[in-house]
Amino acid sequence: MTLYTIIEAIVGLVAFILLAVCTKKREGVVYGTLDKVGIATNILLILVYVFLLPFCLFLGMISSPSYKGFLGILGWIVSIINASAALFCGLGLGFSVSLRKRGKSKLSFAVQFAGVVGIILTVGLYALFAGNLLRYLN
């Protein structure tokens, strides 16, 4: 899962940069209060992600299924979700900037928290399934 986790982190970062930079602001779009709050929240979330993502990347790297068969398939699904936290963070912030530039303030504000959901899923699923579907670190 280490290689997958690294690739997903790179894809998430590239997606964030491309979505934020390549989307042009539409004419007539005026930023309101929710947009300004969303900009501040994006900056705050970037700082939160910088501090929390190394931990989530570590959990994604050590997530590997314990069993074979049907439980192994479930273990792989949980492992892939655990390894994709950085992708959720990058896509959430990138779509937030892109939607704000298109004038969709409410959706932009809501989608920026996809990374928070990804981090909570990673930590929660690892804590729930370590030793069951996922192998222990030792």
Side-chain angles (χ1 to χ4, degrees):
M1 289 311 296
T2 301
L3 182 62
Y4 178 80
T5 305
I6 293 170
I7 290 171
E8 289 300 313
I10 292 169
V11 168
L13 182 63
V14 169
F16 167 61
I17 292 170
L18 287 177
L19 284 169
V21 172
C22 293
T23 305
K24 299 197 187 250
K25 186 176 176 182
R26 286 192 179 164
E27 292 182 21
V29 173
V30 178
Y31 287 166
T33 305
L34 186 60
D35 293 317
K36 292 176 184 173
V37 170
I39 292 169
T41 308
N42 275 350
I43 294 169
L44 179 67
L45 284 174
I46 288 172
L47 296 174
V48 168
Y49 294 160
V50 165
F51 289 112
L52 289 180
L53 272 180
F55 176 67
C56 289
L57 291 174
F58 174 72
L59 289 180
M61 287 178 188
I62 63 173
S63 292
S64 60
S66 289
Y67 300 105
K68 296 185 184 212
F70 181 69
L71 290 177
I73 292 170
L74 292 177
W76 275 107
I77 291 170
V78 171
S79 297
I80 288 172
I81 293 171
N82 283 351
S84 299
L87 180 67
F88 295 138
C89 294
L91 287 176
L93 289 175
F95 279 125
S96 175
V97 172
S98 176
L99 290 168
R100 186 177 307 110
K101 288 180 178 180
R102 293 180 184 168
K104 300 181 183 200
S105 302
K106 292 178 184 175
L107 187 57
S108 168
F109 188 77
V111 78
Q112 70 185 347
F113 295 105
V116 174
V117 173
I119 289 172
I120 290 170
L121 273 174
T122 297
V123 174
L125 288 176
Y126 186 80
L128 186 65
F129 292 119
N132 295 328
L133 293 177
L134 303 176
R135 287 188 211 161
Y136 281 118
L137 181 59
N138 294 339

